[in-house]
Amino acid sequence: MAIYLPELDPVNTQFPVAETALDDPNGLLAFGGDLRPERLLSAYRQGIFPWYSEGEPILWWSPAPRAVFLPDKFRPSKSLRKFFRKSGYQVTLNKACHDVIRLCADSRGPEETWITADMMQAYQLMHNLGYCHSVEVWQDSTLVGGLYGIQIGTVFCGESMFSLADNASKIALWLFCQHFHAHGGTLIDCQIMNDHLASLGAVEIERSPFMQFLQQQRDAILEESCYQPRELHQ
């Protein structure tokens, strides 16, 4: 079956409205364009994100329903709390974002990752500009887990996470939810539900309420100190 997609203009950063995304494959909206910061910010502000493989054109998505975490509702299990107390892990915010992005790509095989060299470079630039943020988990000064994503108002658009040691990404998410909520964060978008996200407590919401919420929160202001580099504590 042929799929007809709009191609993005190489100059302006306008997107088709998210409601025109395909049902099959779920959320596919457009192709083309580039990954410069202006276009990425325009995309995330409209509930759209890039997702494609090496050798493909850039594909833009806005799936429905949407998988999200409610940071004030995240409850770590007793076993995870106990593990963290004994682990000796140190958790930090925005101390090694470039490395987190690289390890999110490197920890998956070439056939599994969507974090191409161009994607890696684009999000590292977004970090340099203050839009992309990371959480890091350290074990004996070695980076063993983390996550990164894009800030849009009081919404955090999660992009990827990795774990090279037991429970490292779960602990990164737990402590980030706690910190994010304490500084005025309202929602963590994790895009498409999978078994791992569901096991961590992600829930699904339909496109219309998600888009309404994003539109309400995308110009809201978090506490200024939210993303200052620091250590995160339980």
Side-chain angles (χ1 to χ4, degrees):
M1 181 179 66
I3 295 176
Y4 298 97
L5 285 178
E7 181 176 5
L8 298 185
D9 186 278
V11 177
N12 74 53
T13 58
Q14 293 181 341
F15 285 86
V17 296
E19 287 77 8
T20 64
L22 298 178
D23 293 327
D24 186 18
N26 178 19
L28 184 55
L29 179 68
F31 75 99
D34 52 40
L35 298 174
R36 56 195 163 103
E38 297 86 350
R39 194 183 301 275
L40 285 172
L41 286 175
S42 176
Y44 282 100
R45 285 176 59 84
Q46 298 172 72
I48 300 164
F49 58 88
W51 183 30
Y52 64 103
S53 299
E54 193 72 61
E56 292 181 347
I58 301 172
L59 301 176
W60 301 89
W61 302 76
S62 185
R66 199 78 168 216
V68 301
F69 287 106
L70 305 174
D72 60 327
K73 304 295 185 186
F74 188 89
R75 298 291 183 270
S77 65
K78 289 183 179 179
S79 61
L80 186 62
R81 290 178 180 274
K82 182 178 180 180
F83 176 88
F84 181 47
R85 286 196 298 269
K86 296 182 176 180
S87 68
Y89 290 168
Q90 180 187 25
V91 184
T92 59
L93 175 72
N94 273 337
K95 293 281 192 176
C97 188
H98 286 211
D99 292 331
V100 169
I101 295 170
R102 176 180 54 81
L103 285 167
C104 281
D106 292 349
S107 62
R108 296 171 173 83
E111 298 81 16
E112 296 177 340
T113 187
W114 65 96
I115 307 172
T116 65
D118 287 345
M119 287 272 277
M120 194 181 310
Q121 185 177 39
Y123 286 85
Q124 288 171 341
L125 174 58
M126 291 287 279
H127 173 69
N128 295 345
L129 295 172
Y131 300 113
C132 182
H133 306 286
S134 64
V135 179
E136 306 89 20
V137 180
W138 308 85
Q139 184 177 46
D140 299 327
S141 301
T142 299
L143 186 56
V144 296
L147 59 87
Y148 75 95
I150 300 294
Q151 175 199 350
I152 298 295
T154 66
V155 176
F156 183 81
C157 303
E159 270 299 307
S160 187
M161 60 174 58
F162 79 98
S163 187
L164 302 177
D166 289 347
N167 294 318
S169 61
K170 292 180 182 179
I171 289 168
L173 177 63
W174 165 27
L175 267 65
F176 177 67
C177 281
Q178 182 177 275
H179 172 82
F180 187 53
H181 172 60
H183 287 76
T186 57
L187 190 75
I188 299 174
D189 172 29
C190 42
Q191 302 173 349
I192 299 173
M193 184 66 82
N194 58 40
D195 291 342
H196 179 62
L197 293 174
S199 73
L200 295 174
V203 297
E204 289 185 320
I205 58 176
E206 294 302 323
R207 175 182 283 121
S208 180
F210 173 79
M211 294 299 297
Q212 289 175 7
F213 189 85
L214 179 63
Q215 289 165 10
Q216 292 168 357
Q217 296 297 320
R218 64 189 181 187
D219 293 316
I221 299 174
L222 280 174
E223 289 185 20
E224 186 176 352
S225 63
C226 182
Y227 290 113
Q228 289 179 355
R230 69 180 72 201
E231 186 172 354
L232 300 181
H233 300 280
Q234 181 180 348

